[in-house]
Amino acid sequence: MLPIGLVFGGVAVLFTISVVFYYLFKIDIVLWFRRAFPVFYTNTDSDGKLYDAYVAYPRQFGAGSSGETETFVLHMLPQVLEKSCGYKLFIADRDCLPGQAIVDSVEENMQASRRLLLLYTASTFSNTRHNSSSSNNNNNNIPKSSGDSSNTSSNNSKSHGSDGSSESLDPDAPEAGQQFECEIAMYRVLLEGSLKVVLVEMEPVSPAQLALFPESVRHLRKKQGAVCWWKSQSSRRRRCCTRRSKDEKTGGPSLSSSSRFWKEMRYYMPVRGKRAAYPERTALLNL
C-alpha cells in the first residue's frame, strides 16, 4: 500500500502544482500557445469584419482625466496594438468620416468590429448621468409661452436628428456619443451575444462611484473583470530612478507589448489564426 499511496500522492501534488502554475501564468501560456500553434485557431480574415476592435472612450469629462485618456487612446493604443501587434483599431476621433452622424458611425463601425474596448474613468458614467439629469431639469424649468415654445422647438431641431438622437451640432454630442456607444455595446453583448467587450479601467474606482455605473457595466465588470491601466502606472512609479530613466530611453514599459497590461490586452483581443496559403487566389475565386 505504501508505494501505491506514494504514487497517488505524487500525482495529486503534481496536479495541484500544475493548476496553480496555470492560474498564475495563464495569460503567458495562452499567448505562447497562440503564437506557437496558430493552426488550431480559425482565421479571422474571412469573417467580414473590418476592425479587430472598436475603441469607445470618454471625451470632455474633465480636464485631467480626459487629457490622459485621449493621449492613451490616440498615441499609446495605436503604437502598441497596431504597430507592434498588428491589430486594426477604429478610433472615432481618428477614423470617423467628416460630417458623418454619430448614430450611423457607431452602428456601422461597431458592427464591423470583432471586439469593443470600453475605456472608462471613475467619473465617466456619473458625469453622463449628471449632465442628462441637469439638461432634463433645465428643459423642465423653461416657461411655457408662445415665444419660448418656438425657441425650444428650434433648439430641439438643432440638437436632435430626425431619428431623435443627438447629433454633432449639440455641444454635448461627445457625451451623447459615449452614452450611445455604451448602450449599443451592452445591447449586443447581453441580448444579441454578437460582440465581446473588453473593459479598460483607466483609474481606481471607489464603491460609491461604482454604484453610479450602469447595471450592465457593473454586471460585466463583476463577471469578466477589467484590464486596469492604473495598476501598471502605479507599479511603474514604484520603480527606481535608474530603471525609470532606462525605460524612458527604450520606450518605457507602458509601451512594451511584453508588459503585464499589454499582455492582458492581447489576451482579450481576437486570435488571428493561420492565414490561407494563397490569399490572392482565394480572393479571386470569391469575386
Side-chain angles (χ1 to χ4, degrees):
M1 296 297 294
L2 181 61
I4 296 176
L6 292 176
V7 170
F8 280 102
V11 171
V13 172
L14 183 62
F15 177 77
T16 304
I17 294 176
S18 301
V19 171
V20 173
F21 182 83
Y22 175 76
Y23 276 99
L24 289 178
F25 302 98
K26 177 181 178 180
I27 295 178
D28 298 274
I29 295 174
V30 171
L31 292 178
W32 173 84
F33 190 84
R34 290 177 182 176
R35 185 174 60 254
F37 305 100
V39 69
F40 290 104
Y41 300 94
T42 58
N43 185 251
T44 58
D45 292 338
S46 59
D47 60 357
K49 304 292 185 179
L50 298 178
Y51 306 99
D52 292 303
Y54 181 103
V55 183
Y57 63 100
R59 297 176 285 274
Q60 297 182 0
F61 284 146
S65 60
S66 177
E68 294 179 359
T69 303
E70 290 184 356
T71 301
F72 174 81
V73 171
L74 298 177
H75 298 284
M76 294 185 179
L77 271 182
Q79 185 169 350
V80 177
L81 292 184
E82 289 187 335
K83 294 182 179 179
S84 300
C85 303
Y87 292 108
K88 189 175 182 181
L89 307 177
F90 177 85
I91 304 174
D93 289 346
R94 184 193 67 177
D95 303 323
C96 187
L97 296 176
Q100 188 177 14
I102 294 178
V103 176
D104 297 336
S105 176
V106 172
E107 284 278 5
E108 294 175 4
N109 296 294
M110 194 176 292
Q111 190 174 2
S113 303
R114 302 180 182 93
R115 295 286 188 276
L116 171 71
L117 302 183
L118 182 59
L119 283 68
Y120 62 89
T121 61
S123 59
T124 297
F125 302 103
S126 59
N127 279 342
T128 304
R129 181 176 298 182
H130 173 73
N131 290 329
S132 61
S133 61
S134 61
S135 61
N136 292 333
N137 293 332
N138 292 333
N139 292 333
N140 293 331
N141 293 330
I142 295 177
K144 296 181 179 180
S145 61
S146 59
D148 292 338
S149 62
S150 61
N151 293 333
T152 304
S153 61
S154 62
N155 292 332
N156 289 335
S157 63
K158 292 180 181 179
S159 60
H160 294 273
S162 59
D163 54 354
S165 59
S166 299
E167 299 295 337
S168 59
L169 293 176
D170 192 350
D172 292 335
E175 299 172 3
Q178 171 73 13
Q179 185 177 3
F180 185 73
E181 287 173 341
C182 182
E183 292 176 356
I184 292 295
M186 295 304 107
Y187 175 79
R188 294 188 181 276
V189 171
L190 300 178
L191 297 181
E192 292 184 351
S194 59
L195 184 66
K196 292 184 179 180
V197 176
V198 182
L199 300 178
V200 183
E201 198 166 280
M202 302 301 297
E203 60 186 19
V205 179
S206 65
Q209 294 168 333
L210 184 62
L212 298 176
F213 281 28
E215 185 178 357
S216 55
V217 178
R218 282 183 284 143
H219 172 74
L220 276 180
R221 188 176 182 269
K222 183 179 180 180
K223 181 180 178 181
Q224 67 182 34
V227 185
C228 299
W229 168 251
W230 56 271
K231 288 184 179 180
S232 64
Q233 293 298 97
S234 60
S235 62
R236 184 186 180 188
R237 295 189 187 99
R238 287 196 296 266
R239 295 177 180 177
C240 61
C241 298
T242 56
R243 177 67 179 273
R244 191 176 305 158
S245 61
K246 181 180 178 180
D247 288 334
E248 290 175 357
K249 294 179 181 179
T250 59
S254 59
L255 296 180
S256 174
S257 59
S258 60
S259 64
R260 183 66 181 177
F261 172 80
W262 294 112
K263 283 183 179 179
E264 291 185 28
M265 293 289 291
R266 290 159 52 198
Y267 173 78
Y268 288 108
M269 290 293 286
V271 185
R272 294 185 174 278
K274 185 176 179 60
R275 294 183 177 272
Y278 302 100
E280 296 85 1
R281 183 179 179 181
T282 305
L284 291 174
L285 291 176
N286 292 331
L287 291 176

